[in-house]
Amino acid sequence: MWFVKNMITRKNLMALTGLFLAFFLIIHLLGNLQLLLPDEVAREQYNWYSHLLAGNIVIEIIAIVLYACILLHLADAIYLTIRGRKVSGNYRLDKRARASTWYSRNMMFLGAVIFAFLVIHFKDFWYQYKFGTLPLDEKGHKDLYTLVVTAFGQLWYVIVYIIAIIALGYHMLHGVFSAHRTLGLYHPVYNRIVRTAGVVFSVAMTFGYAVIPIVIYIKQPL
Amino acid sequence: MDIVLKIWRQKDQDSTGKLETYTLEEVNPDMSFLEMLDTLNHNLVKQGERAIEFDHDCREGICGQCGMMIDGIAHGPLKHTTTCQLHMRSFCDGQTIQIEPFRAEAFPVIRDLKVDRSAFDRIIASGGYVSVDTGQAPEANSIPIAHHDAEAAFDAAVCIGCGACVASCKNASASLFTAAKISQMTRLPQGREEAGTRVTRMVRQMESEDFGHCTNTEACEVECPQAISVLHIARMNYEYNRAGIFFNKA
Amino acid sequence: MSRILEVRIPDGPLPEKWSNYKAKARLVSPNNRKKLDVIVVGTGLAGASAAASLAEMGYNVKSFCFQDSPRRAHSVAAQGGVNASKNYRNDGDNVFRFFYDTIKGGDFRSREANVYRLAECSASLIDQAVAQGVPFAREYGGYLRNRSFGGVQVSRTFYARGQTGQQLLLGAYQALMRQVSAKKVTLYARHEMLDLVVIDGRARGIIARNLDTGQTERHAAHAVVLATGGFGKIYYLSTLAMGCNASAIWRAHKKGAFMANPSWTQIHPTCLPQSGAYQSKLTLMSESLRNDGRIWVPLQHDDTRAPGAIPEEERDYYLERKYPSFGNLAPRDIASRAAKEQIDAGKGVGPLKNAVYLDFSKAIGEYGKSTITERYGNLFTMYKKITGIDAYREPMKISPAAHFSMGGLWVDYDLMTSVPGLFAIGEANFSDHGANRLGANSLLQACVDGYFVLPYTLQNYLADEIRTPRFDPDSTPFIEVERAVKAQLQQFTDCRGSKTADEFHRELGRELYDKCGLLRSGEGLRNAIRNIRELREAFRHDLLVPGHTDEVNSELEKAGRVADYMEIAELMCIDALHREESCGAHFREEYQTAEGEARRDDERFCYSAAWQWTGNPSEPVLHKEPLVFETITPTVRSYK
């Protein structure tokens, strides 16, 4: 019972859910990159892809796991952060920050930004797609493409989106290697590899996700 | 050089403390930081005031008893240095230096800059040893240990138990302290036998002492006087998970 | 032999004495052991190893230390290594040679049987430490590595980088904490022993002060073990930790335990020189540095050139010149005295002209910087931290500083003092090192006493105690002693004079270092005795301790320690004055050869001087324990 309750196990849970979410980002990005195809192809392709995902039982299960991961990751983070705050010292003059990166110390804050974004993201796209009334395209699929392009036509929306993506990038910059450490990767060589891979991954994801709204915003007819 | 000191004064564990300001003149740059405090204490005592209580003993960086937050950094601005090995040449004339005790829920203040670090002793007592009685030992060379294994174990064994890792951690985690001992013992064949029991017990004790969790910010390694690697924490996690998965527990 | 000093050396030839002892020593059956309590004061190598070993055997142990954790005891600071005659190097080492080296190093002023036992048990210590997980240096094949140390011609020193003491101490500390968790040891950290309770002539407990609350506490037991280390801190500037003190042994002395050879203090040759009046301690640089470092001074007086600017032919490698066969590895007393000679002759270097050079340029040239880094890296780093100087580029500056007390409580072969039931182990006793301790023997002695000797000899004593019921710490004898302790504490805080304990301590230390340090003379010592008495009188009336006795009060702690130093200092001078010969670290200017070497007088002084307290610090009574050499013949100790 102890094993389940204690902090290393909780950190393991953070690590595993975090890594799963990071992995999901790859799939999600691959899907989204279809938005960058020429307009008409993109519309058809993207709507077909969305339709494919929406109707698949396997995807449904993965989606449930995904939602669970998000909630567990969040709940655990809140628990650990509160406990950490409670037991740590409160200095009148505090320069402890010099010894670590700002994003590694502010994972909860970055996570909160990402979560706030997720709420908007779900409300605008996922909710609309699932429960909203969307027009159909020529193939009879729901026209998510238009919804996305319209959303990214607004500058403020693009800015919010990019801020969130940058927060996500920093979150993963620390999160990916930290998760491996938590899970027990102790060899210095593999640590260097994972750390480098983590940086490459985070930068690639940030760039990939950021480039989509920018391109769409620039491409839109004035 | 002349300096201004803002020092935490607290009468006992239950009192609320506050920062007091003192000035000290003609400080020699070759003085150690603790000798500077000695000088201040000398002046205070001469005026019939209570000396500032602080922990110290060997004054050569190995006993681990000294330790304070100097300008918001454990053991002061020099990296990988204990408070006793910090010298006034690291500060400038006219500088204001703020000194506070190491703070954490697990390290209650006893008086002024003295804190109670007995939680560390209890962590070691929970499993930080090889269970061998006096007289049981086999011939020393009957257990060859590869040079690099002995060296790696040593890198973890150098911990002086000062608590700077806890003081520097945003979560007051004692992971580096605990992991260093676990890693040292696990690396050696003598300690391998009880690795699962040890890690489970020590982690349990660490948590019950109100230390926080590790978020791999790596601040502890940076401020550790002995520069003990954070990878030992990963090793502890590995051993802990392994013990849990194989039900090899206390 | 005096009837008062019963040494009780077992029968048989030297190599069989310890086996004979163990064969005949009385035992306590396991179910009786839990009825017996033992107090161990001090948690250094000797104290922690003894407490752990006794607890493993089944006794109830109370372990005391004044530090905030047992792991901080000053054994932790020993750098160089620990000797053991394993003969792993096939260089002709054996128990007898180790025994002989130690006796000779001690200038034939130690007890044969004890030293032989030390040599005999040395090998087991390495086994024990390795089993505990102490990471000693290893060869690439995985076997243990050795190096050589001052005063010997074989490589028998085991080491763990420059932190051997730390690693051995942590091993013992962990063994101790294991017994704490098994509830066989009760740990009293931040407790300082302030007096010994003797009932019907036997040691039955101690009075300790809880340094966190200021409250005094009474603790009873069937036997008391003092493992409180040395008192070199009496010189104020020393290599010891700030808290090291003589209070426990001195207060035991005042309750009847004899002090033996108190003036024999080792002055360590390789310490960092004093840089100013504020200095609180002199950091030791491991003697192992002398394996590869060469010691020299400029040939010219008052040479102010940078060391690099002094050409080879204008340097005096005085140790290599004077002691060609041992060179830079000459024993500590000789190396220290030689350094002092050079400094006194005006050839000292550094701003205060109080140091000599320790030069690594030749070794770096021969083996490369990386080898030197692997061997001494942490010492070079430490040197840089303290002085701001990079010793890879220019030589270190070193000077002698007080380091180790060869003297201490007189003990018999069982390590029991002249008070039955009171044992002294490690540096706190006087037994094994004679007039000078060889490098890397101190860790060994502490461990051997704690792990391998005391568990037998204490049990031998306790065999008589199984019918003695537990003593009530609330009984009159305890309460009376506690009252006296409290009265003394109160007197310190009530004094309200004008000088701090540290000021008195510095003054005393200077006096002692000048007149009862490296060089002693009859006139100087008589002078010192007068001055110490005056200082003690001043201390009584003019001490300033702010605050109260019932709270954390470090000034009060210091006052108690200095009060004891004031009395020991006089005994040291009396001891040094009475011994009209030079031996080991005790060098009387009047007694030297034409070449300036120590001249021993085996006719008159082949004994250990055990001093009895009479109530007046100026009038101790001398008892002589003659040193009988059955196996070896004392020779002139020559390292030339």
Side-chain angles (χ1 to χ4, degrees):
Chain A
M1 198 54 218
W2 166 259
F3 185 71
V4 179
K5 275 200 313 194
N6 76 83
M7 281 184 289
I8 293 187
T9 309
R10 284 185 175 271
K11 285 290 296 176
N12 282 335
L13 187 64
M14 288 296 286
L16 291 171
T17 51
L19 287 177
F20 181 81
L21 293 173
F23 177 72
F24 164 77
L25 287 177
I26 305 177
I27 314 289
H28 191 36
L29 181 65
L30 290 179
N32 284 10
L33 283 177
Q34 299 171 80
L35 290 167
L36 297 184
L37 294 169
D39 282 356
E40 280 312 308
V41 188
R43 178 193 302 272
E44 191 173 315
Q45 179 92 12
Y46 190 73
N47 288 343
W48 168 80
Y49 173 74
S50 312
H51 180 77
L52 181 76
L53 293 190
N56 189 321
I57 181 72
V58 178
I59 299 294
E60 282 293 317
I61 292 168
I62 292 176
I64 290 167
V65 173
L66 186 69
Y67 306 146
C69 277
I70 292 173
L71 293 176
L72 279 173
H73 197 80
L74 177 77
D76 225 15
I78 292 171
Y79 169 81
L80 287 170
T81 305
I82 290 174
R83 185 165 193 278
R85 288 260 164 86
K86 212 178 86 194
V87 298
S88 72
N90 183 11
Y91 294 98
R92 301 298 180 275
L93 175 62
D94 192 344
K95 289 191 192 154
R96 286 181 290 177
R98 76 151 186 184
S100 53
T101 53
W102 70 269
Y103 51 89
S104 70
R105 289 189 314 277
N106 293 294
M107 291 293 277
M108 185 71 224
F109 171 73
L110 292 171
V113 170
I114 296 164
F115 185 75
F117 165 75
L118 274 184
V119 172
I120 300 173
H121 192 64
F122 268 68
K123 177 184 143 292
D124 288 354
F125 301 130
W126 177 82
Y127 181 84
Q128 291 297 332
Y129 191 84
K130 279 246 159 173
F131 307 109
T133 46
L134 284 183
L136 302 181
D137 68 2
E138 289 113 43
K139 292 269 169 69
H141 299 137
K142 287 187 181 175
D143 192 2
L144 186 62
Y145 177 81
T146 310
L147 182 70
V148 172
V149 169
T150 318
F152 288 150
Q154 308 159 69
L155 184 60
W156 70 269
Y157 200 88
V158 173
I159 291 171
V160 166
Y161 192 93
I162 285 174
I163 289 172
I165 291 303
I166 289 171
L168 180 66
Y170 276 112
H171 196 80
M172 290 194 301
L173 204 54
H174 179 69
V176 172
F177 98 89
S178 175
H180 285 84
R181 284 273 180 81
T182 300
L183 294 174
L185 185 80
Y186 63 80
H187 196 283
V189 172
Y190 297 119
N191 261 287
R192 267 198 298 281
I193 294 171
V194 166
R195 194 156 206 169
T196 314
V199 172
V200 171
F201 174 77
S202 309
V203 171
M205 287 297 128
T206 312
F207 180 78
Y209 278 104
V211 88
I212 294 167
I214 294 174
V215 168
I216 292 176
Y217 180 73
I218 293 171
K219 267 197 344 191
Q220 68 178 316
L222 291 170
Chain B
M1 57 201 259
D2 299 345
I3 50 168
V4 179
L5 293 156
K6 287 173 135 180
I7 300 176
W8 186 260
R9 303 300 304 258
Q10 181 171 339
K11 195 167 179 307
D12 52 42
Q13 202 171 316
D14 307 320
S15 315
T16 48
K18 62 175 192 296
L19 286 163
E20 298 271 1
T21 307
Y22 305 91
T23 52
L24 194 59
E25 288 161 8
E26 289 174 32
V27 174
N28 188 319
D30 283 333
M31 268 184 186
S32 76
F33 194 82
L34 295 183
E35 284 164 353
M36 181 276 291
L37 285 180
D38 286 343
T39 312
L40 174 66
N41 270 346
H42 174 83
N43 296 349
L44 289 176
V45 171
K46 279 291 198 183
Q47 294 157 19
E49 286 177 44
R50 285 303 311 271
I52 294 151
E53 296 290 345
F54 60 93
D55 264 326
H56 64 101
D57 200 26
C58 80
R59 298 210 175 180
E60 49 188 275
I62 195 74
C63 78
Q65 185 148 324
C66 66
M68 45 192 85
M69 222 55 182
I70 300 167
D71 275 343
I73 297 167
H75 293 305
L78 279 194
K79 284 184 183 168
H80 310 315
T81 304
T82 53
T83 304
C84 62
Q85 291 198 305
L86 178 66
H87 284 71
M88 295 311 290
R89 66 180 83 94
S90 299
F91 300 90
C92 344
D93 191 19
Q95 190 174 339
T96 301
I97 305 169
Q98 183 155 329
I99 312 172
E100 290 178 65
F102 281 173
R103 293 185 197 278
E105 194 70 13
F107 288 172
V109 174
I110 295 171
R111 183 172 184 130
D112 300 342
L113 305 171
K114 263 187 207 251
V115 295
D116 179 357
R117 284 167 291 191
S118 55
F120 273 7
D121 288 330
R122 290 189 291 274
I123 291 177
I124 295 294
S126 69
Y129 42 72
V130 175
S131 295
V132 56
D133 283 354
T134 306
Q136 292 176 337
E139 155 61 36
N141 259 349
S142 62
I143 321 166
I145 299 170
H147 181 79
H148 66 269
D149 281 329
E151 291 296 306
F154 204 111
D155 288 337
V158 292
C159 171
I160 59 172
C162 65
C165 47
V166 174
S168 304
C169 177
K170 73 190 256 288
N171 300 317
S173 171
S175 289
L176 191 64
F177 171 82
T178 312
K181 189 49 70 189
I182 288 169
S183 187
Q184 176 205 347
M185 292 300 180
T186 310
R187 192 79 193 224
L188 298 170
Q190 301 94 309
R192 191 65 243 178
E193 297 298 325
E194 50 188 330
T197 319
R198 175 185 305 114
V199 69
T200 313
R201 287 191 183 164
M202 287 180 79
V203 166
R204 180 177 302 188
Q205 187 65 34
M206 170 172 79
E207 295 202 13
S208 67
E209 296 287 353
D210 270 349
F211 290 109
H213 60 291
C214 173
T215 51
N216 299 311
T217 67
E218 305 186 340
C220 50
E221 177 179 331
V222 177
E223 306 296 6
C224 172
Q226 301 285 340
I228 294 173
S229 166
V230 288
L231 292 181
H232 294 302
I233 300 178
R235 177 93 194 214
M236 170 175 76
N237 296 339
Y238 169 82
E239 293 295 339
Y240 185 79
N241 292 337
R242 186 186 140 113
I245 290 165
F246 294 105
F247 298 101
N248 178 10
K249 297 178 285 184
Chain C
M1 190 177 297
S2 142
R3 275 191 50 227
I4 298 173
L5 298 178
E6 272 191 87
V7 185
R8 298 193 293 185
I9 293 174
D11 300 331
L14 193 56
E16 289 164 27
K17 284 181 188 297
W18 181 232
S19 319
N20 285 348
Y21 181 94
K22 287 196 283 188
K24 291 177 190 161
R26 283 171 309 158
L27 302 175
V28 178
S29 71
N31 56 343
N32 277 332
R33 291 181 199 159
K34 58 178 176 289
K35 296 179 197 157
L36 296 168
D37 304 336
V38 181
I39 285 174
V40 181
V41 186
T43 58
L45 265 178
S49 58
S53 301
L54 292 169
E56 287 160 12
M57 292 163 78
Y59 297 103
N60 299 308
V61 179
K62 289 180 170 186
S63 168
F64 292 79
C65 68
F66 72 81
Q67 296 92 345
D68 78 329
S69 160
R71 66 180 295 151
R72 320 235 186 258
H74 201 52
S75 305
V76 79
Q79 297 166 356
V82 55
N83 287 332
S85 64
K86 283 279 199 186
N87 196 26
Y88 284 160
R89 293 284 282 267
N90 199 23
D91 54 4
D93 194 14
N94 55 44
V95 170
F96 185 83
R97 190 176 297 276
F98 186 8
F99 153 74
Y100 188 78
D101 284 340
T102 305
I103 287 260
K104 180 189 172 198
D107 216 355
F108 304 96
R109 286 292 174 266
S110 38
R111 201 187 281 154
E112 266 191 348
N114 284 51
V115 177
Y116 197 89
R117 178 175 64 187
L118 178 74
E120 202 180 332
C121 297
S122 63
S124 319
L125 167 66
I126 302 303
D127 301 342
Q128 179 68 24
V130 165
Q132 287 175 343
V134 171
F136 283 120
R138 301 268 171 173
E139 303 290 351
Y140 283 93
Y143 294 103
L144 289 154
R145 183 183 273 184
N146 295 109
R147 65 181 167 201
S148 60
F149 234 65
V152 298
Q153 288 168 311
V154 294
S155 287
R156 65 162 73 100
T157 306
F158 294 79
Y159 64 102
R161 289 190 201 154
Q163 287 143 275
T164 317
Q166 183 200 25
Q167 293 310 313
L168 281 174
L169 180 69
L170 291 181
Y173 158 73
Q174 286 156 203
L176 175 70
M177 295 316 289
R178 177 170 161 246
Q179 295 306 314
V180 170
S181 99
K183 304 222 177 338
K184 290 306 292 176
V185 173
T186 316
L187 187 63
Y188 297 88
R190 288 202 204 257
H191 277 65
E192 183 164 28
M193 167 176 165
L194 289 182
D195 217 337
L196 179 74
V197 180
V198 179
I199 300 174
D200 298 332
R202 289 176 184 262
R204 291 302 184 196
I206 65 166
I207 305 299
R209 181 167 175 267
N210 180 338
L211 302 179
D212 280 352
T213 62
Q215 302 304 317
T216 50
E217 297 171 5
R218 304 178 294 272
H219 294 275
H222 292 89
V224 176
V225 180
L226 299 185
T228 54
F231 49 94
K233 188 70 196 166
I234 193 169
Y235 291 93
Y236 193 77
L237 287 178
S238 76
T239 64
L240 277 75
M242 300 306 285
C244 288
N245 67 78
S247 291
I249 59 171
W250 187 249
R251 290 170 193 208
H253 171 67
K254 288 167 107 173
K255 286 282 155 71
F258 299 165
M259 281 286 279
N261 309 326
S263 72
W264 291 353
T265 307
Q266 182 166 76
I267 311 286
H268 198 291
T270 52
C271 305
L272 301 185
Q274 181 178 9
S275 63
Y278 49 80
Q279 192 107 8
S280 58
K281 81 161 274 168
L282 299 172
T283 302
L284 175 94
M285 301 302 285
S286 168
E287 185 172 39
S288 63
L289 290 170
R290 290 201 277 147
N291 272 312
D292 290 306
R294 301 177 73 202
I295 294 175
W296 62 276
V297 290
L299 270 174
Q300 282 179 36
H301 289 231
D302 298 321
D303 196 330
T304 50
R305 286 176 292 177
I310 301 175
E312 203 58 31
E313 60 275 12
E314 290 178 42
R315 299 174 176 190
D316 180 9
Y317 294 91
Y318 58 89
L319 281 178
E320 293 171 20
R321 172 170 59 79
K322 291 170 75 174
Y323 307 96
S325 66
F326 279 79
N328 293 303
L329 286 173
R332 290 177 177 174
D333 55 331
I334 290 174
S336 291
R337 213 148 44 229
K340 185 170 161 66
E341 259 168 40
Q342 302 297 330
I343 293 166
D344 289 350
K347 293 181 185 174
V349 297
L352 300 179
K353 303 218 165 295
N354 58 354
V356 296
Y357 287 126
L358 177 61
D359 199 331
F360 288 88
S361 51
K362 186 160 176 251
I364 291 174
E366 261 173 45
Y367 310 119
K369 192 177 162 185
S370 59
T371 309
I372 298 299
T373 309
E374 191 186 328
R375 287 185 191 165
Y376 313 110
N378 66 322
L379 297 170
F380 278 59
T381 314
M382 180 157 138
Y383 186 78
K384 176 135 200 227
K385 273 182 192 168
I386 295 170
T387 62
I389 295 169
D390 181 1
Y392 292 106
R393 291 162 175 274
E394 65 175 277
M396 293 183 178
K397 289 194 263 300
I398 55 164
S399 78
H403 180 53
F404 186 89
S405 313
M406 274 79 70
L409 288 179
W410 182 88
V411 289
D412 61 12
Y413 188 75
D414 283 12
L415 303 180
M416 187 160 80
T417 67
S418 41
V419 176
L422 177 70
F423 292 74
I425 58 175
E427 195 179 342
N429 72 27
F430 87 115
S431 75
D432 296 345
H433 305 299
N436 174 53
R437 176 177 65 78
L438 284 187
N441 261 0
S442 127
L443 291 178
L444 175 69
Q445 187 224 342
C447 292
V448 165
D449 283 2
Y451 285 123
F452 303 118
V453 179
L454 193 77
Y456 289 94
T457 63
L458 184 67
Q459 179 152 270
N460 187 50
Y461 171 81
L462 288 174
D464 275 342
E465 296 286 325
I466 48 178
R467 283 188 193 81
T468 313
R470 288 206 160 96
F471 284 84
D472 176 13
D474 295 330
S475 60
T476 325
F478 281 90
I479 288 174
E480 271 172 11
V481 180
E482 187 189 33
R483 192 176 298 141
V485 165
K486 280 182 167 169
Q488 192 197 26
L489 293 170
Q490 196 61 46
Q491 185 220 322
F492 292 143
T493 53
D494 288 350
C495 191
R496 302 282 166 204
S498 67
K499 277 166 79 176
T500 66
D502 273 344
E503 282 177 290
F504 281 110
H505 193 171
R506 275 177 214 264
E507 224 169 295
L508 178 72
R510 207 175 309 123
E511 186 71 20
L512 217 49
Y513 190 80
D514 285 347
K515 293 169 186 153
C516 193
L518 275 169
L519 295 174
R520 292 127 186 229
S521 70
E523 196 198 335
L525 288 165
R526 274 186 286 272
N527 195 323
I529 291 174
R530 271 195 306 279
N531 295 342
I532 290 167
R533 284 181 191 158
E534 277 172 27
L535 197 59
R536 193 165 60 222
E537 208 41 42
F539 180 82
R540 223 190 317 274
H541 298 118
D542 200 18
L543 174 69
L544 172 59
V545 177
H548 308 283
T549 60
D550 58 350
E551 55 182 4
V552 181
N553 192 341
S554 52
E555 288 297 310
L556 182 64
E557 294 161 28
K558 286 185 207 162
R561 293 167 189 165
V562 176
D564 294 330
Y565 287 145
M566 289 287 175
E567 294 174 351
I568 303 169
E570 185 173 358
L571 183 64
M572 287 171 72
C573 292
I574 292 172
D575 181 57
L577 183 63
H578 111 280
R579 188 170 284 273
E580 294 172 335
E581 64 160 353
S582 294
C583 58
H586 172 67
F587 193 88
R588 285 281 297 264
E589 285 172 17
E590 304 95 316
Y591 307 98
Q592 51 180 308
T593 63
E595 295 158 307
E597 299 300 324
R599 202 174 71 219
R600 242 177 31 229
D601 185 346
D602 290 342
E603 291 284 303
R604 293 170 63 212
F605 291 100
C606 194
Y607 63 78
S608 294
W611 300 90
Q612 185 181 5
W613 175 257
T614 57
N616 179 348
S618 305
E619 289 170 359
V621 171
L622 171 66
H623 302 275
K624 297 176 184 175
E625 181 206 327
L627 296 170
V628 186
F629 294 98
E630 291 173 344
T631 314
I632 54 162
T633 319
T635 57
V636 173
R637 178 169 164 256
S638 169
Y639 289 92
K640 287 198 177 281

